[in-house]
């Protein structure tokens, strides 16, 4: 019996060791000093295999400052074009046809991105789209840390049985809640801007909620 | 790099001087070089004597307070479109004032190196800057609303040292002039004045003012029967018009009105009746710029046509509140006046929202204020808590009606947000489908709370049962109140739940007779005056007043006063509860005004000995009250 417990204990500790992630040094920085890249992509649709990116819009965010000269907005030449999604992004085929190639845009984007932390709304979609494009062009996929405003926003909501939570909060929901103008919605750059301001407001709310000590980058990741 | 955001910035900037003087291309080039900065409330943009930054700032959203000196007096308030921090950059000196975010703010930072060439090349831009430096404000245009927003403190502070200062404050006048020709009939004139909501109309010929007709003229000449209602303007007008140049100061305007015994002055281009009229100045305008008084503020609110116009008036209301507290005016009176003003603001927001709807409401409705606002105890701006109830409609109209009122409520909630009421974090707002119901649906919901009571239901009833009518049909609100009282009577078990809920707020004194401080969170080491002192009292008052089936009194001190009447044996205690509640409310309000927040959390170390003693004495009352309730409703059985 004793043996069994010992065995069980060691197993449990092994198990704990595996699941407990080591604290990443990089995550001990303050949120302010970190360079974030807030991005959004406009695509021909939602199918990772067949749809393509038409535009990448990205802005840098550091110390609460968005510097317009340090922004990235490039339209991508695409053969694949789905006329059904035009009504959402408003990018006409002609506009896309005379643009730089996917490879060129990706290279420039990687240089712009560096090792910054990526912020997007429903990040998984944009990251997957970009990664598929990187693979197609035989480039290494992204290894940057990522944050998702859709996910972080949920963390700001108060916990109460009286509240009904939505499963998905669209960027429009956040813009309404935080009183951010929806002008330029559905352009990559415009959406990136709304995401950036929403992120700043989310951080402010999470700071208020945090129990003690300084609010560090890790507080955004360890939910 | 030209991009979508720089366009967004350019679009904003071109609406404000000095950028209005630049051509589109230049604004776009400039916009590509700026940074967008997010500042949390109370964060400092630059400090007094700090070395200058390489950019100056334009407020995109929010407000920045410029402060100076040991007393930290607010010199100027910059809001949307105002520029600040430019003068020290050009004069090559350190910052002379502190700039601090008065609320959450987004700024555009424009590098001076990029901007300088435009200031040098463009004469209008240069002139604007010189003018703005000469007048020593961040923006000469801001003078016109200074009187309105911060006039009182500014005038008041300066008045002590410099009695003439009022003279240099230009008055804000109405630039929208309503005119008619000399042939217009008195009836038409009265209709126009009613429609435009003005007290005077200018009679013009060839665009020049030849006479003026005021409310008084209509009363004295038409309603007395002296002239028929069909009389032409030329017959009843006062002529010639008293005209002044538009650079009239408040004092001059007052003098002019007293001298000629008139209530309206016509402002013309050069001050003579021979040039075009540019504005009309009424006694009301003078009063607004002279200071704040509830009647003037109410009038100003009622004239607002956009949500945005109400926001600065609300700032004046806060000033008024501060003044009342400073002068030690009884809190009952103060809260009555402020509540009245708050109500008018809400009513105006709803009126504006109704105008945004394409059709009139399909059924009668009532807008209910809940929580502290419903109890008329909301002196400081806090979160929104509201609900909407509408008439029951035929089955086939149900969906359409609900959609209409949800749309309306969404407009109203947004409007309230814009004038400064934060969204309720728990979504207790009329735009939430759960809080926008027909009378019948509300009855079902309330009945469910009363008969299936759990913790959440008690909480919901606590918030909801203090409602008061803000706008709309009082009959609907009344019917709902009647239903609630009857339903509670039929289900006495509900009291027990209410009582246990009311006793849940911990008594404010702990075992060691220390203050109970908050254990964790951002407000560690602070005393939560709302949860620990105000709520136990208001919760208890609600339970007791419901048990006496008294409706239509939702204000906590008034409830206690009523209870003192109903239960003479506990008169002393109830009166002291009423007193304690008022004292606590005043205390909270003062703290809130001091820190520009809701006043909910109080740092005990900043309190004086006297204040601590006062606070503690109210706690004794709370304890006694909780004991009474606990015994009366035999709550020990369910706790």
């Amino acid at each position: 019996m004793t043996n069994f417990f010992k065995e069980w204990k060691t197993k449990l500790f092994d198990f704990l060791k595996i699941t407990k992630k080591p604290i990443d040094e990089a995550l001990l920085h303050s949120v302010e000093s970190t360079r974030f890249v807030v991005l959004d992509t406009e695509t021909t649709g939602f199918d990772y295999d067949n749809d393509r990116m038409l535009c990448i819009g990205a802005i840098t965010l550091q110390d609460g400052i968005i510097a317009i000269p340090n922004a990235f907005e490039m339209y991508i030449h695409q053969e694949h074009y789905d006329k059904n999604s035009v009504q959402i992004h408003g990018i006409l085929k002609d506009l896309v046809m005379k643009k730089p190639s996917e490879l060129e845009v990706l290279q420039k984007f990687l240089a712009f991105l560096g090792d910054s932390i990526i912020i997007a709304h429903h990040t998984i979609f944009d990251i997957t789209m970009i990664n598929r494009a990187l693979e197609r062009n035989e480039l290494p996929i992204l290894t940057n840390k990522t944050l998702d405003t859709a996910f972080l926003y949920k963390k700001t909501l108060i916990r109460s049985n009286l509240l009904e939570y939505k499963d998905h909060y669209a960027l429009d929901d956040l813009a309404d809640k935080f009183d951010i103008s929806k002008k330029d919605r559905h352009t990559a750059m415009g959406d990136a801007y709304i995401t950036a301001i929403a992120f700043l407001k989310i951080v402010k709310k999470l700071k208020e909620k945090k129990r003690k000590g300084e609010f560090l980058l890790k507080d955004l990741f360890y939910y | 790099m030209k991009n979508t955001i720089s366009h967004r910035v350019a679009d904003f900037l071109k609406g404000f001087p000095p950028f209005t003087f630049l051509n589109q291309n230049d604004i776009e080039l400039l916009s590509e070089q700026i940074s967008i900065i997010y500042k949390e409330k109370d964060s400092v943009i630059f400090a007094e004597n700090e070395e200058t930054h390489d950019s100056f700032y334009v407020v995109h959203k929010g407000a920045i307070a410029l402060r100076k000196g040991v007393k930290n007096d607010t010199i100027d308030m910059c809001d949307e479109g105002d520029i600040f921090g430019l003068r020290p950059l050009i004069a090559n000196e350190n910052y002379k004032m502190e700039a601090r975010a008065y609320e959450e703010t987004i700024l555009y930072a424009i590098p001076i190196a990029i901007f300088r060439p435009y200031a040098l090349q463009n004469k209008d831009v240069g002139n604007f800057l010189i003018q703005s430096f000469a007048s020593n404000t961040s923006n000469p245009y801001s003078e016109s609303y200074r009187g309105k927003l911060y006039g009182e403190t500014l005038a008041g502070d300066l008045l002590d040292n410099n009695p003439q200062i009022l003279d240099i404050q230009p008055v804000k006048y109405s630039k929208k002039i309503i005119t008619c020709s000399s042939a217009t009939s008195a009836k038409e004139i009265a209709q126009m004045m009613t429609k435009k909501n003005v007290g005077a109309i200018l009679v013009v010929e060839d665009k020049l003012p030849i006479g003026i007709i005021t409310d008084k003229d209509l009363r004295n000449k038409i309603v007395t029967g002296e002239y028929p209602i069909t009389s032409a303007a030329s017959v009843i007008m006062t002529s010639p018009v008293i005209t002044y140049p538009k650079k009239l100061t408040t004092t001059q305007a007052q003098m002019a009105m007293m001298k000629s015994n008139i209530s309206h002055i016509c402002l013309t281009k050069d001050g003579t009746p021979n040039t075009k009229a540019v504005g009309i100045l009424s006694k009301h305008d003078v009063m607004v710029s002279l200071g704040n008084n509830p009647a003037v503020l109410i009038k100003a609110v009622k004239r607002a046509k956009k949500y945005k116009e109400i926001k600065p008036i609300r700032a004046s209301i806060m000033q008024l509140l501060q003044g009342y507290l400073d002068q030690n005016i009884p809190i009952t009176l103060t809260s009555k006046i402020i509540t009245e003003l708050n109500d008018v603001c809400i009513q105006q927001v709803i009126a504006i929202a109704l105008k945004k709807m394409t059709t009139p409401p399909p059924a009668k409705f009532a807008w209910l204020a809940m929580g502290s606002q419903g109890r008329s105890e909301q002196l400081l701006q806090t979160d929104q808590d509201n609900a909407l109830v509408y008439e029951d409609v035929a089955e086939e109209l149900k969906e359409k009606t609900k959609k209409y009122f949800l749309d309306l409520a969404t407009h109203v909630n947004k409007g309230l947000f814009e004038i400064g009421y934060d969204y309720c974090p728990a979504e207790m707002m009329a735009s939430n489908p759960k809080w926008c119901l027909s009378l019948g649906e509300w009855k079902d919901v309330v009945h469910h709370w009363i008969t299936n009571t759990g913790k959440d239901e008690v909480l919901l009833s606590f918030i909801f049962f203090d409602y008061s009518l803000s706008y709309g049909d009082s009959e609907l609100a009344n019917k709902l109140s009647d239903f609630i009282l009857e339903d509670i009577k039929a289900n006495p078990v509900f009291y027990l739940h209410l009582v246990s809920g009311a006793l849940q707020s911990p008594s404010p004194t702990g075992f060691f007779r220390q203050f109970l401080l908050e254990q964790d969170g951002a407000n560690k080491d602070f005393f939560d005056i709302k949860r620990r002192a105000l709520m136990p009292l208001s919760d208890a008052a609600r339970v007791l007043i419901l048990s006496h089936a008294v409706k239509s009194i939702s204000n906590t001190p008034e409830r206690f006063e009523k209870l003192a009447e109903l239960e003479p044996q506990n008169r002393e205690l109830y009166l002291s509860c009423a007193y304690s509640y008022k004292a606590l409310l005043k205390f909270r309000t003062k703290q809130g005004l001091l820190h520009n927040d809701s006043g909910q959390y109080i740092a005990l170390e900043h309190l004086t000995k006297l204040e601590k003693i006062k606070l503690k004495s109210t706690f004794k009352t709370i304890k006694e009250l909780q004991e009474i309730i606990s015994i009366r409703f035999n709550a020990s059985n369910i706790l």
Side-chain angles (χ1 to χ4, degrees), chain A residues 32 59 63-69 71-73 75 153 157-158 160-164 176-185 187-190 192-194 197 200-201 203-204 207-212, chain B residues 1-9 11 31-41 60-61 104 106 108 414 417-418 423-429 432 434 456-457 459-460 463 519-524:
Chain A
E32 280 71 26
I59 49 184
D63 199 16
I65 300 175
I66 299 164
I68 295 185
F72 183 94
E73 184 175 45
Y75 289 85
Y153 174 68
L157 301 174
I158 54 168
S160 159
N161 299 339
L162 311 178
L163 252 178
E164 260 178 75
D176 286 340
K177 206 85 250 179
F178 293 130
D179 193 32
I180 308 167
S181 154
K182 282 191 276 192
K183 200 171 160 245
D184 309 319
R185 178 88 175 84
T187 65
M189 207 52 165
Y193 177 75
I194 294 172
I197 300 291
L200 289 165
K201 299 205 178 204
V203 169
K204 181 189 153 225
K207 266 186 193 169
E208 285 166 6
K209 262 185 131 178
K210 167 148 178 166
R211 307 215 146 211
K212 42 192 145 261
Chain B
M1 195 174 75
K2 197 168 189 160
N3 62 42
T4 312
I5 308 182
S6 72
H7 278 303
R8 183 192 267 245
V9 173
D11 262 1
S31 299
E32 287 161 29
Q33 299 299 326
I34 76 144
S35 291
I36 300 165
I37 302 182
Y38 172 83
K39 285 284 175 190
E40 283 173 28
K41 181 179 157 190
H60 169 54
K61 252 186 185 176
E104 194 182 26
I106 296 175
Y108 292 159
K414 179 143 200 300
F417 178 81
E418 279 185 33
Y423 290 125
C424 172
E427 302 273 346
M428 286 170 194
M429 297 183 287
N432 179 345
K434 282 180 157 180
D456 295 342
E457 284 73 22
L459 190 61
L460 287 166
I463 296 161
Q519 301 295 334
D520 48 41
N523 300 303
K524 199 170 172 293

Side-chain angles (χ1 to χ4, degrees), chain B residues 164-182:
Chain B
Q164 301 103 296
I165 203 78
L166 263 182
D167 256 322
I168 57 165
Q169 281 222 48
V171 281
K172 191 182 176 261
Y173 53 87
S174 143
K175 285 174 190 132
K176 269 193 199 140
I177 317 168
I178 311 302
T179 60
C180 67
S181 77
S182 53

Side-chain angles (χ1 to χ4, degrees), chain A residues 100-116:
Chain A
S101 71
E102 195 170 73
L103 178 65
E104 193 187 332
V105 173
L106 286 171
Q107 282 168 336
K108 287 205 167 126
F109 177 69
L110 289 178
F112 172 81
L113 179 62
D115 62 353
S116 298

Side-chain angles (χ1 to χ4, degrees), chain B residues 339-398:
Chain B
T339 305
E340 194 68 36
L341 285 165
N342 284 343
D343 283 352
V344 171
C345 289
I346 293 168
Q347 282 158 14
Q348 192 63 17
V349 165
I350 297 172
I352 295 172
L354 277 168
K355 283 212 176 105
K356 285 185 190 257
M357 303 297 288
T358 45
T359 56
K364 283 185 192 161
F365 75 99
W367 185 272
L368 306 177
M370 303 185 294
S372 65
Q373 206 189 339
R375 294 194 301 270
S376 310
E377 292 159 12
Q378 194 180 60
L379 297 181
L380 301 161
Q381 249 162 341
T382 52
D383 295 344
Q384 303 187 25
D385 279 320
N386 44 53
L388 197 150
V389 50
Y390 53 89
E391 249 180 330
D392 289 314
V393 293
E395 189 64 38
E396 64 270 22
L397 294 172
K398 265 188 178 164

Side-chain angles (χ1 to χ4, degrees), chain B residues 118-138:
Chain B
Y118 295 107
L120 295 176
Q121 280 158 25
N122 191 312
K123 209 180 95 214
D124 289 329
V125 175
N127 282 344
F128 173 87
L129 297 179
I130 291 166
Q131 238 183 327
S132 107
F133 296 159
S135 62
N136 209 12
T137 67
S138 61

Side-chain angles (χ1 to χ4, degrees), chain B residues 5 77 81 87 94 117 143 210 242 330-331 488 607 616 623:
Chain B
I5 308 182
M77 199 60 111
R87 182 184 153 104
N94 287 358
E143 273 180 18
I210 57 163
I242 313 276
I331 193 80
I488 293 179
L607 300 183
K616 267 197 177 168
K623 200 155 178 266

